[in-house]
Amino acid sequence: MGIFGRSTTTTETAATTATTSAVNPELAALTGDYTIDASHTTIGFTARHAMVTNVKGAFLDFSGSLHLDGTDPSRSTASIDVEMESIDTGNADRDGHLKSADFFKTEEFPTMTFRSTKAEALGGDDYRITGDLSILGTTKPLTIDLEFNGAAKDPFGNERVGFEGKAEILRSEWGLTWNAALETGGVLVSDKIKLTFDISAIRNA
């Protein structure tokens, strides 16, 4: 069941026109505005450390919203705001370093933001959403591959939708360039960062 608009080629145009003339009622029923439920959502990251292991972390304080349009999925949008002081890697000293001027400069740049600009369906429950990611005052495009996990009403009457997503960035492109050389070669922190998203959103009343 698709949420976002499916990209098409010239040869697909006629078939697409025919299929979109009748709206999928299950898809149309999801149309609406949703608020990301931070208590059931994870925004995580993984960095390579000392060339030999992975360090994982997450942001604990964030807010976001989705607009899903089941009758015209290409109009679906997503936005999120992350409080950088909420970074958590399970180590207070490391978290303090990440908040410092060497990395996120959280006093000067307290928030990281994402605003979607395009969404595509890749087939089945797989989707791709592209948007503007802003860190340290620098804005660059970010593409996230998503899997739609479905929709359900929870025991409290909330209508929920769920997505899992992943992306990779080079942190240096956003000005995150601090590093330290290793005696054995290589560097302490990888430039490539893996991002993960496990999102639950509640339909607004």
Side-chain angles (χ1 to χ4, degrees):
M1 179 169 58
I3 293 296
F4 300 113
R6 184 182 303 278
S7 59
T8 59
T9 63
T10 302
T11 58
E12 294 173 322
T13 302
T16 301
T17 300
T19 56
T20 55
S21 61
V23 175
N24 182 327
E26 293 183 358
L27 180 60
L30 298 180
T31 296
D33 295 317
Y34 295 76
T35 298
I36 292 176
D37 177 8
S39 63
H40 293 94
T41 295
T42 301
I43 299 175
F45 59 89
T46 302
R48 198 75 170 163
H49 179 261
M51 309 294 291
V52 298
T53 191
N54 291 319
V55 170
K56 296 183 179 182
F59 296 98
L60 305 183
D61 187 5
F62 52 86
S63 61
S65 61
L66 308 175
H67 174 73
L68 305 183
D69 190 329
T71 59
D72 186 357
S74 65
R75 295 182 179 179
S76 298
T77 59
S79 67
I80 192 163
D81 296 87
V82 177
E83 299 301 320
M84 301 307 287
E85 278 285 335
S86 72
I87 195 168
D88 180 14
T89 65
N91 181 287
D93 289 340
R94 181 167 55 221
D95 294 344
H97 190 198
L98 289 171
K99 296 174 188 179
S100 75
D102 284 343
F103 285 95
F104 289 115
K105 305 177 184 178
T106 58
E107 290 189 3
E108 184 179 357
F109 301 99
T111 307
M112 173 175 64
T113 65
F114 175 79
R115 300 290 184 267
S116 67
T117 57
K118 181 182 179 182
E120 307 166 83
L122 305 179
D125 289 328
D126 295 328
Y127 302 88
R128 180 168 293 152
I129 189 165
T130 301
D132 294 325
L133 177 66
S134 298
I135 307 173
L136 294 177
T138 297
T139 301
K140 289 185 173 295
L142 172 68
T143 297
I144 304 170
D145 289 327
L146 290 167
E147 180 180 359
F148 176 54
N149 286 341
K153 181 174 286 190
D154 68 24
F156 306 100
N158 298 310
E159 297 181 40
R160 292 180 178 269
V161 293
F163 298 89
E164 290 182 65
K166 60 183 179 179
E168 290 185 356
I169 65 170
L170 298 178
R171 62 187 179 92
S172 59
E173 294 184 352
W174 280 266
L176 294 161
T177 57
W178 184 92
N179 228 320
L182 302 176
E183 291 184 7
T184 52
V187 292
L188 185 63
V189 184
S190 62
D191 190 21
K192 182 170 72 174
I193 306 296
K194 297 179 181 180
L195 306 176
T196 56
F197 308 88
D198 198 342
I199 297 172
S200 179
I202 298 173
R203 188 171 186 167
N204 297 347

